[in-house]
Amino acid sequence: MSVKVSVVIPVYNPGEYIEDCIASLLRQSLPDDEYEAIFVDDGSTDATPARLDEIAATYPHMHVIHQESSGWSGKPRNVGTAAAKGEFVMYVDNDDWLGDEALERMYNYGVENDADVVIGKMAGKGRPVPVELFRVNRPRADVSSAPLMDSLTPHKMFRKEFLESKGISFREGRRRLEDHVFVVETYLRASNIAVLSDYLCYYHIKREDASNAGFQRFDPVGYYKNLREALDIVEKYTEPGTLRDSMFRRWLRNEMVERLRGKRLLALPEDYRQELYTEIRGVVTERFGPGVARGMQPTQQIVAALVVADRLADIEELARWEAGIKPTGFLESLKWDAGRLGAGFTAEYQTDGEPMTFRTEGEEDLLNLPLAQDTLDAVVGLGASPLATVDKAKVDLVVRERTTAAEFFQPVEFTRERIPSDDGTTFRLVLRAEATIDPESAANGAPLGDGIWDVLIRISSCGWTKETRLGSARAENMETGRRGALSGEPVRLVLPYWTEPHGNLSLDVDLATSRFDRDLKSLTPKDTVLADGRIELPVPLAMNGTVGTESARLRFKPLSGGSTAETVATLTAGPTAAVLSAHLPDGLGAGRFWGIEIGLPSARRGKPRWAKLPVVIAVAADATMSTTTVAAAAAAAKKPTAPAPKRSLVRRVTGRIKRTLFK
């Protein structure tokens, strides 16, 4: 059978980090004879070459090529591409890994949509990845219709015949941004680009020691020389105008303006800061017309204009002010409704711990910038705008899996509220939002996977896009919403909870934590009813107002040891919580204490996950039953037996005489 996908992995001294990459390649859902992995060892000096030889000897579809060190990733990728037998080539870094079905899904999506380039959804573990690009599937995309320029790393699938026919390859040698040059050319020359967003394909990982090449401080002169090569590609394949300006805008925003803002700039030593600024200003003044900056947000336009005006001191002053800006979000309501979790919250920006304010002059809303009037006049004269675009502010709610960093947008409806100051000279902007999290469709239409999902909000306003965890004001009306709910088929528990110690909202899917066990500790013997051979007790679960039952199990364990007994239980909707009821099993022996455990279904385990209840059944000698606490039962079980009564003195003496006479 022909090879569908060739995965090319440039390798240089990855150490243990390559093991996750190898494991993910071996887990692929594509049959082994339909894909291959080509590791190109670029002169590694650690134990990696021997490890790769071992893998290649064990698995026929795993290959290794050894070569002298070339200094960067371009040549290894080209060598791997030349050796590839696949219809598509997929580039993976040696410290990243793939989703188990990534190659199969991306290949099928590419064939289905006749794409030359296939971009799979990415998750960043300690690294930024595109967000807006993966909001929805995009079967037919190009640079004018989709935010493709947000994704310029090479971790994509390319049709090999397309690369060969167009003569597209990576620039070689020790250089930066060779992936930008390569990817931008494919974007501009591809017949179609397909973006797959409903499956997490690529995990982009920051090493714990931050030794990834992209995290090393770069030489500004060489870096911006290489960046100009990417600009050259755009100029070669586009005409002057809106499209070219929009593509250039990506580099102006990400590689220049954002490096000169807030904490990112202030963290740099002064000499390096000056060197970086000098090189940035060179590119801005040489290559970018006014239309490039004009499409950015106001705060970004101002930084760009300060660069043109050669005002580094003002850029630093603005950075100090921006360093104090942070997003805030407060959870105000939480409730389950028909299997969906609704969250009401407010969001706004703060500056140095106080709500951010804006001012109004005439009909215009303006930013309260810490810049002198002559500086503002200068940037306005260069076409920058100090307007506060509060009417375009928005907020998103995102759920992010804690282990993999996979994240998905959730439906949100929001309103913008202006709150004027007492003197009417300024106002705050508060976003009031209602979001819905459906566990069965929250992952871009698919169910949330098992694990811990943190809930975040992302505020976009006036050129700032920042995110924060969603905290809670702890209103009483949230305790019902914080209960877990059984969801999906097969059924699993989805449990909202507050993190410790910060009190933020997270979701435990399929009993990934012991939070449900903690919730059960509030039960008391008074909550439990024993009657007519049945047991009934409330369980802190939301039944979503549904009529009907969900299955569970009860297990009874004698505190003194011995065989357990199980029975099927049902959960039905009650007035304030779910009601669990079950027939008591036969064999609960008299004179014993029986601990109780509830078993909730777990799709991940394939069997119930058991949790102890703080209630014990006491079975008396006459078989009557009552409930008590675990502590009381344990104390009763340890009570010593009363000693036998001593015989009277007469009986003791008589006994001795009889033993003496008849011995």
Side-chain angles (χ1 to χ4, degrees):
M1 182 174 291
S2 61
V3 176
K4 293 180 176 178
V5 182
S6 297
V7 184
V8 174
I9 311 101
V11 179
Y12 181 73
N13 287 352
E16 63 182 7
Y17 292 99
I18 200 171
E19 294 301 328
D20 287 331
C21 179
I22 292 170
S24 77
L25 290 167
L26 293 174
R27 289 196 304 267
Q28 288 303 300
S29 58
L30 267 183
D32 290 355
D33 60 353
E34 294 185 11
Y35 77 102
E36 63 178 354
I38 303 172
F39 296 92
V40 183
D41 171 36
D42 197 46
S44 294
T45 57
D46 61 3
T48 302
R51 173 61 174 144
L52 295 178
D53 288 339
E54 176 188 354
I55 291 295
T58 305
Y59 301 98
H61 62 307
M62 301 279 150
H63 314 296
V64 60
I65 299 172
H66 299 287
Q67 66 180 30
E68 292 184 2
S69 177
S70 67
W72 212 250
S73 300
K75 184 174 181 179
R77 291 193 185 112
N78 288 339
V79 169
T81 303
K85 299 184 176 110
E87 181 182 350
F88 283 85
V89 178
M90 175 83 190
Y91 297 108
V92 174
D93 283 350
N94 60 195
D95 35 27
D96 297 337
W97 68 79
L98 296 173
D100 293 356
E101 301 173 21
L103 297 183
E104 181 178 16
R105 287 180 179 247
M106 291 177 71
Y107 173 83
N108 290 338
Y109 197 67
V111 171
E112 176 186 344
N113 293 292
D114 195 24
D116 290 327
V117 183
V118 185
I119 308 174
K121 183 179 176 67
M122 302 177 71
K125 191 68 173 175
R127 305 192 68 158
V129 296
V131 175
E132 289 297 326
L133 178 62
F134 299 118
R135 190 181 283 267
V136 295
N137 280 347
R138 304 175 192 268
R140 303 197 66 82
D142 58 42
V143 289
S144 64
S145 65
L148 295 178
M149 293 296 291
D150 289 350
S151 179
L152 296 183
T153 64
H155 313 118
K156 302 166 177 63
M157 192 176 283
F158 302 87
R159 193 183 297 273
K160 186 180 180 186
E161 189 276 332
F162 159 69
L163 297 179
E164 291 177 338
S165 66
K166 303 295 185 182
I168 302 174
S169 62
F170 289 92
R171 305 285 176 96
E172 298 184 2
R174 186 164 184 81
R175 59 188 304 111
R176 292 279 185 163
L177 304 179
E178 85 292 340
D179 48 355
H180 286 207
V181 177
F182 177 89
V183 172
V184 166
E185 184 170 356
T186 66
Y187 283 171
L188 291 172
R189 303 183 72 185
S191 61
N192 182 43
I193 302 165
V195 182
L196 177 66
S197 301
D198 58 7
Y199 180 78
L200 187 48
C201 299
Y202 196 94
Y203 295 85
H204 202 23
I205 308 302
K206 178 183 179 181
R207 297 185 188 181
E208 293 179 2
D209 60 2
S211 61
N212 311 68
F215 284 91
Q216 306 311 304
R217 181 174 293 177
F218 57 80
D219 165 37
V221 174
Y223 188 89
Y224 288 101
K225 177 182 177 181
N226 294 153
L227 187 146
R228 286 175 172 89
E229 294 172 345
L231 303 181
D232 291 341
I233 293 293
V234 175
E235 290 183 345
K236 181 177 180 179
Y237 293 105
T238 66
E239 296 294 329
T242 303
L243 176 60
R244 180 183 292 182
D245 285 349
S246 69
M247 295 184 72
F248 279 179
R249 191 172 300 132
R250 187 271 177 208
W251 286 290
L252 175 59
R253 181 182 64 243
N254 290 35
E255 307 300 333
M256 301 178 202
V257 166
E258 290 303 318
R259 294 183 184 277
L260 299 176
R261 297 182 70 184
K263 295 178 181 178
R264 190 172 182 183
L265 175 66
L266 300 177
L268 300 176
E270 286 192 16
D271 56 344
Y272 184 80
R273 189 187 303 175
Q274 177 66 58
E275 186 180 4
L276 180 71
Y277 167 77
T278 299
E279 292 305 315
I280 287 174
R281 187 167 187 273
V283 178
V284 170
T285 55
E286 292 169 18
R287 303 295 293 266
F288 297 152
V292 179
R294 192 176 297 130
M296 295 195 301
Q297 293 289 334
T299 47
Q300 296 166 338
Q301 291 183 30
I302 289 169
V303 175
L306 290 172
V307 170
V308 174
D310 199 11
R311 292 176 177 256
L312 177 57
D314 288 318
I315 292 174
E316 292 171 329
E317 180 64 26
L318 186 62
R320 284 187 281 272
W321 176 69
E322 287 193 305
I325 297 173
K326 59 177 287 188
T328 60
F330 297 97
L331 184 66
E332 297 189 335
S333 65
L334 191 69
K335 63 180 180 180
W336 286 98
D337 183 13
R340 298 175 178 86
L341 184 64
F345 62 93
T346 59
E348 68 177 313
Y349 277 121
Q350 288 186 348
T351 306
D352 294 328
E354 297 294 329
M356 176 177 280
T357 60
F358 307 88
R359 57 193 177 88
T360 300
E361 290 185 6
E363 299 296 321
E364 294 183 330
D365 299 324
L366 300 175
L367 296 166
N368 270 326
L369 297 171
L371 299 176
Q373 189 59 50
D374 66 316
T375 302
L376 287 173
D377 292 340
V379 298
V380 170
L382 290 169
S385 170
L387 295 178
T389 53
V390 293
D391 57 329
K392 296 181 180 179
K394 67 175 185 175
V395 63
D396 284 299
L397 184 138
V398 173
V399 292
R400 179 183 296 157
E401 207 281 316
R402 191 174 294 176
T403 301
T404 65
E407 65 175 49
F408 300 97
F409 289 96
Q410 305 303 302
V412 175
E413 294 182 356
F414 66 89
T415 58
R416 305 178 186 95
E417 181 181 353
R418 295 169 178 250
I419 301 178
S421 61
D422 291 340
D423 60 8
T425 59
T426 63
F427 67 93
R428 295 165 50 195
L429 179 71
V430 176
L431 300 169
R432 300 192 181 278
E434 294 285 340
T436 303
I437 304 173
D438 182 349
E440 300 313 303
S441 63
N444 275 19
L448 290 179
D450 61 273
I452 299 173
W453 293 82
D454 295 322
V455 181
L456 305 95
I457 60 171
R458 187 172 290 141
I459 307 173
S460 299
S461 177
C462 301
W464 301 291
T465 296
K466 300 176 182 289
E467 66 180 33
T468 184
R469 293 293 305 277
L470 184 56
S472 171
R474 294 299 176 274
E476 291 296 325
N477 66 341
M478 279 188 264
E479 281 309 306
T480 300
R482 202 202 56 74
R483 290 175 179 160
L486 295 174
S487 177
E489 184 59 44
V491 173
R492 73 264 176 82
L493 179 68
V494 178
L495 177 67
Y497 71 93
W498 315 132
T499 62
E500 297 174 354
H502 301 295
N504 296 316
L505 177 64
S506 291
L507 302 179
D508 172 357
V509 178
D510 205 7
L511 295 157
T513 73
S514 61
R515 298 282 174 172
F516 181 68
D517 305 51
R518 300 187 196 183
D519 290 349
L520 292 174
K521 291 180 180 179
S522 62
L523 295 177
T524 68
K526 293 181 180 180
D527 299 320
T528 307
V529 176
L530 297 173
D532 300 325
R534 293 182 63 82
I535 182 172
E536 187 175 284
L537 67 155
V539 178
L541 290 174
M543 295 299 287
N544 300 319
T546 58
V547 178
T549 64
E550 296 284 2
S551 296
R553 297 188 70 83
L554 280 182
R555 184 161 67 187
F556 301 86
K557 284 186 174 182
L559 299 189
S560 56
S563 300
T564 63
E566 286 188 25
T567 185
V568 175
T570 58
L571 290 163
T572 58
T576 59
V579 177
L580 181 145
S581 59
H583 289 285
L584 291 167
D586 296 332
L588 297 185
R592 307 185 77 178
F593 294 100
W594 295 84
I596 309 172
E597 295 180 352
I598 179 174
L600 289 183
S602 170
R604 175 162 46 100
R605 293 176 175 83
K607 58 183 179 181
R609 191 273 207 180
W610 297 95
K612 292 182 179 180
L613 301 181
V615 176
V616 171
I617 295 179
V619 184
D622 61 359
T624 58
M625 297 183 180
S626 60
T627 56
T628 186
T629 64
V630 174
K638 291 180 180 179
K639 186 180 294 184
T641 305
K646 294 183 178 180
R647 292 179 296 167
S648 66
L649 178 61
V650 174
R651 292 183 64 188
R652 280 183 283 157
V653 171
T654 303
R656 290 195 186 116
I657 294 173
K658 287 182 178 180
R659 287 195 296 274
T660 300
L661 293 175
F662 297 104
K663 67 178 180 179

